[in-house]
Amino acid sequence: MSKHCSLQETAALLQAANKIVLCSHVSPDGDTLGSALSLMKALQKLGKDVIVTVDDEISKVYKFLPGIESFVRFQNDERIAADLLVVIDASSLDRAGNVSQCVSAPKTLNIDHHISNTEYADYLYLDTAAAATGEIMYELIDTLGVEVDLEMATCIYTALYTDCGSFKYSNTMPKTMRIAAALLEIGVKPNEISDSMEIKPRSNIEMLTKVLETLTFDADGKIAYISINNEMYDKDVDTDTFISYPRYIEGVEVAIMFKAVEKAVTRVSMRSRNLDVSEIAITFGGGGHLRAAGCTIEAALPEAQQQLLKALKEKLV
Amino acid sequence: MSKHCSLQETAALLQAANKIVLCSHVSPDGDTLGSALSLMKALQKLGKDVIVTVDDEISKVYKFLPGIESFVRFQNDERIAADLLVVIDASSLDRAGNVSQCVSAPKTLNIDHHISNTEYADYLYLDTAAAATGEIMYELIDTLGVEVDLEMATCIYTALYTDCGSFKYSNTMPKTMRIAAALLEIGVKPNEISDSMEIKPRSNIEMLTKVLETLTFDADGKIAYISINNEMYDKDVDTDTFISYPRYIEGVEVAIMFKAVEKAVTRVSMRSRNLDVSEIAITFGGGGHLRAAGCTIEAALPEAQQQLLKALKEKLV
């Protein structure tokens, strides 16, 4: 269990420390990176000695973030002493990577917005109503008495943009939009952020092309699915957004992506307009939400497709 | 020339009229439709007799807009008498379609945000700083003394969403974001709007698949282009967004879409990260902006590709 802090208490912890390590979570995204960098810049303005670390590779997408070159990755046998370790946007300690073994600090602080937070740090500032940890940073920097400059604003805007999908997701709140407005006022260019965030490796578009070729309709166009077979599968290519292609076709009720990750293991993602696809996922040992669910079927691709489509069509009737 | 009105004068014109025709522009989009519907609902609350019209088909995408079924399309020989004709989001009279011949009204009012406005109406409310005409509607409805309800808010949010590309475009202003925040406060669900707006006909995804198969790189990956040849070309399929696929590939400086609209006529769209592509477009008789330009080359696809790529590579060196 952590001691839950107010924004003022959180600011006080930061103000009392001199040498501070800020840690982003592994598989770093725009929220954890942007949040850490904005706080780094604010703490530097207060004269603090700040290290930002992440125990992972950082995608080239984020090279536009001011200060991104400051990130270091500790060797597992490195030992760093600090007054305060701050873990940012990580809901559990394993998401922090090697920082818990590399950094020795009398106090740890976790700043997060995930409802699944496991309270692993000594001190916790948790705001589950925040769309992104970046939202918290905007208020925290203000509480620290630092003026948000354009570099910090760019980092925070990127954090918001990431976690609320360019203001498309359901977690986008009036407050999110108001903070975004304030960041634009500071000079953030929304088109420059979105242009930077849209960049994809060539392999991604090449995979998309191959995957779209597999688009198949069933149940009078109510089901649309795409497939990645064993030959196509490449664990290094991010295919997370591909399901949006069948999902947003006129008349489609349920969209599916089948991904043959091994010869006899097929991962299934489902999206629906109305049908409860989590029920189907659960019957295959998976889970999820009403309109977004998934499961893993221990079968080769064609067999897995057959099983799932059969179950789905029984529900669709 | 039109008489330029303040928001108060615009509201007064509406309040003084009893029978009002609201007209959206041809090739109707979310801004013109959402703006017209929000104003319709506000005027109906004031007891006005309102007709909404558009001289065109309305895409099925917009069927989620509250009140969309109210739109009528006049026959060219119809004659409607009204106290006021309001043309919404149309910068020139031809964009209004048949309304100028079908509606006889002592006064015409144009509400718009386009800098290219031709001042064709008797009265004009023009705010070129507004990201969308929907932004104007939010303030106009308030000036009319009507409370924006969830249906109006949904229409206005859709208008903003359309014209600023889900808050990604450079026209997204702090004020745009603040109005969006206020609309979310009223109960608009951002994910429901974006889900509705993403729906595409099956033919669109099928065309995208074919077009992505043509993806070709040149100049060490600095140029990426896609092509639609005569066989693939279908004037009924919207391919406007396809250029974003080559555009957002890592390392690409200039993205091009070639579209063979006739045997010996090829339309060219270009997007660049830094290079001034308008210069190249101009040498081919086209034009545009620094980073987004286009032209039409009177040649078959392979010949047009060769000409354009040659000119482009000379500039890229």
Side-chain angles (χ1 to χ4, degrees):
Chain A
M1 295 293 282
S2 307
K3 173 178 172 2
H4 283 252
C5 298
S6 68
L7 212 49
Q8 284 69 24
E9 289 166 329
T10 308
L13 279 170
L14 292 162
Q15 264 148 345
N18 229 323
K19 185 166 181 190
I20 303 172
V21 175
L22 304 181
C23 170
S24 284
H25 66 67
V26 294
S27 304
D29 59 16
D31 190 18
T32 194
L33 295 172
S35 293
L37 290 174
S38 63
L39 185 57
M40 175 190 82
K41 284 174 186 291
L43 292 171
Q44 285 172 341
K45 287 220 172 165
L46 294 173
K48 308 293 181 187
D49 179 6
V50 187
I51 297 174
V52 281
T53 183
V54 62
D55 186 19
D56 210 338
E57 298 286 310
I58 297 174
S59 161
K60 276 188 256 175
V61 166
Y62 299 111
K63 68 170 187 241
F64 73 96
L65 282 178
I68 192 74
E69 69 288 347
S70 312
F71 269 98
V72 294
R73 184 175 187 174
F74 298 136
Q75 303 291 320
N76 286 338
D77 57 2
E78 261 183 273
R79 292 296 171 265
I80 285 78
D83 302 326
L84 182 66
L85 166 64
V86 188
V87 183
I88 292 168
D89 194 41
S91 56
S92 56
L93 192 56
D94 59 301
R95 300 275 291 154
N98 65 9
V99 81
S100 55
Q101 67 188 79
C102 296
V103 176
S104 70
K107 290 173 182 172
T108 58
L109 164 67
N110 177 206
I111 303 173
D112 190 27
H113 71 122
H114 292 96
I115 200 155
S116 56
N117 191 285
T118 59
E119 307 209 5
Y120 56 88
D122 302 326
Y123 300 88
L124 172 65
Y125 182 77
L126 180 68
D127 179 1
T128 58
T133 296
E135 240 184 83
I136 301 171
M137 289 303 162
Y138 180 77
E139 297 183 313
L140 179 59
I141 292 171
D142 184 59
T143 308
L144 283 167
V146 176
E147 200 181 337
V148 175
D149 64 16
L150 181 55
E151 292 197 335
M152 294 179 216
T154 299
C155 292
I156 297 172
Y157 196 93
T158 303
L160 303 186
Y161 184 98
T162 301
D163 266 28
C164 66
S166 182
F167 312 102
K168 286 183 178 179
Y169 298 167
S170 58
N171 63 348
T172 309
M173 296 292 143
K175 191 174 163 187
T176 320
M177 286 287 202
R178 285 201 194 97
I179 292 175
L183 299 171
L184 295 184
E185 208 88 77
I186 293 165
V188 169
K189 299 272 179 290
N191 54 315
E192 290 179 8
I193 306 274
S194 80
D195 277 2
S196 301
M197 293 290 286
E198 292 285 331
I199 301 285
K200 290 174 181 68
R202 195 193 279 208
S203 56
N204 181 281
I205 298 294
E206 286 168 347
M207 179 67 90
L208 174 65
T209 307
K210 284 191 246 174
V211 172
L212 286 181
E213 286 165 2
T214 72
L215 176 64
T216 309
F217 294 90
D218 201 338
D220 291 325
K222 289 200 196 76
I223 299 173
Y225 60 95
I226 51 177
S227 310
I228 297 176
N229 66 24
N230 292 115
E231 285 72 52
M232 291 157 70
Y233 179 66
D234 181 343
K235 68 169 179 42
D236 294 328
V237 177
D238 179 9
T239 58
D240 282 357
T241 62
F242 290 5
I243 197 162
S244 67
Y245 291 89
R247 178 185 188 182
Y248 291 120
I249 295 174
E250 223 167 66
V252 170
E253 172 56 35
V254 182
I256 317 168
M257 182 162 79
F258 294 99
K259 197 196 267 188
V261 293
E262 285 175 46
K263 268 247 161 328
V265 180
T266 303
R267 256 189 231 142
V268 181
S269 309
M270 290 180 278
R271 297 287 182 278
S272 86
R273 202 156 323 278
N274 296 299
L275 193 79
D276 183 356
V277 283
S278 73
E279 276 186 23
I280 295 158
I282 287 165
T283 63
F284 285 92
H289 309 275
L290 198 81
R291 296 191 180 86
C295 56
T296 300
I297 302 178
E298 306 265 332
L301 180 65
E303 166 72 18
Q305 287 175 330
Q306 207 187 359
Q307 284 179 23
L308 194 102
L309 289 169
K310 184 166 176 286
L312 188 56
K313 282 191 269 187
E314 278 163 13
K315 288 274 293 178
L316 259 183
V317 177
Chain B
M1 294 293 281
S2 307
K3 173 180 171 2
H4 283 252
C5 298
S6 67
L7 213 49
Q8 284 68 24
E9 288 167 330
T10 308
L13 278 170
L14 292 162
Q15 264 147 345
N18 229 322
K19 185 165 181 189
I20 303 171
V21 176
L22 304 180
C23 170
S24 284
H25 65 66
V26 294
S27 304
D29 60 16
D31 190 19
T32 195
L33 296 172
S35 293
L37 290 174
S38 63
L39 184 57
M40 174 190 83
K41 284 175 186 291
L43 293 171
Q44 285 171 341
K45 286 221 171 166
L46 294 173
K48 308 293 181 188
D49 178 6
V50 187
I51 296 175
V52 281
T53 182
V54 62
D55 186 19
D56 209 338
E57 298 287 309
I58 297 174
S59 161
K60 277 188 254 175
V61 166
Y62 299 110
K63 67 170 186 239
F64 73 96
L65 282 178
I68 193 75
E69 69 288 348
S70 311
F71 269 98
V72 294
R73 184 175 187 174
F74 298 135
Q75 303 291 321
N76 286 338
D77 58 2
E78 261 181 274
R79 290 296 172 267
I80 285 79
D83 302 327
L84 182 67
L85 167 64
V86 188
V87 183
I88 292 169
D89 193 43
S91 56
S92 57
L93 192 55
D94 59 302
R95 300 274 291 154
N98 66 7
V99 81
S100 55
Q101 67 188 76
C102 296
V103 175
S104 69
K107 290 173 182 173
T108 58
L109 164 67
N110 177 206
I111 302 173
D112 190 27
H113 71 123
H114 292 96
I115 201 155
S116 55
N117 192 285
T118 59
E119 308 210 6
Y120 56 88
D122 301 328
Y123 299 89
L124 172 65
Y125 182 78
L126 180 68
D127 179 2
T128 58
T133 296
E135 240 184 81
I136 301 171
M137 289 303 163
Y138 180 77
E139 296 184 313
L140 179 58
I141 291 171
D142 184 60
T143 308
L144 283 167
V146 176
E147 201 182 335
V148 174
D149 64 16
L150 181 55
E151 292 196 335
M152 293 179 216
T154 299
C155 292
I156 297 172
Y157 196 93
T158 303
L160 303 186
Y161 184 100
T162 302
D163 266 28
C164 65
S166 182
F167 312 103
K168 287 183 179 180
Y169 298 166
S170 59
N171 63 348
T172 308
M173 296 291 144
K175 191 173 162 189
T176 320
M177 286 287 202
R178 286 201 193 97
I179 293 175
L183 299 171
L184 295 183
E185 208 88 77
I186 293 165
V188 169
K189 300 271 179 289
N191 53 315
E192 290 179 8
I193 306 275
S194 81
D195 277 2
S196 301
M197 292 291 285
E198 292 286 332
I199 301 284
K200 290 174 180 68
R202 194 193 279 207
S203 56
N204 181 280
I205 298 295
E206 287 168 347
M207 178 67 90
L208 174 65
T209 308
K210 284 190 248 175
V211 172
L212 286 180
E213 285 165 3
T214 72
L215 176 64
T216 308
F217 294 91
D218 201 338
D220 291 325
K222 288 201 198 76
I223 299 173
Y225 60 94
I226 50 177
S227 311
I228 297 176
N229 65 24
N230 291 116
E231 285 72 53
M232 291 157 69
Y233 179 65
D234 181 344
K235 68 169 178 43
D236 295 328
V237 176
D238 179 9
T239 58
D240 282 356
T241 62
F242 290 5
I243 198 162
S244 67
Y245 292 88
R247 178 185 188 182
Y248 291 120
I249 295 174
E250 224 168 66
V252 170
E253 172 55 36
V254 183
I256 317 166
M257 182 163 79
F258 295 100
K259 198 195 267 188
V261 293
E262 284 175 47
K263 268 247 161 328
V265 180
T266 303
R267 252 186 235 147
V268 181
S269 309
M270 291 180 278
R271 298 287 182 277
S272 87
R273 202 156 323 279
N274 296 299
L275 192 78
D276 183 356
V277 284
S278 74
E279 277 186 23
I280 296 158
I282 287 166
T283 63
F284 285 92
H289 309 276
L290 198 81
R291 297 190 179 86
C295 56
T296 300
I297 301 179
E298 306 265 331
L301 180 65
E303 166 71 18
Q305 287 175 329
Q306 207 187 0
Q307 284 180 24
L308 195 101
L309 289 169
K310 184 166 176 286
L312 188 56
K313 282 192 269 188
E314 278 163 13
K315 288 275 293 178
L316 260 183
V317 177

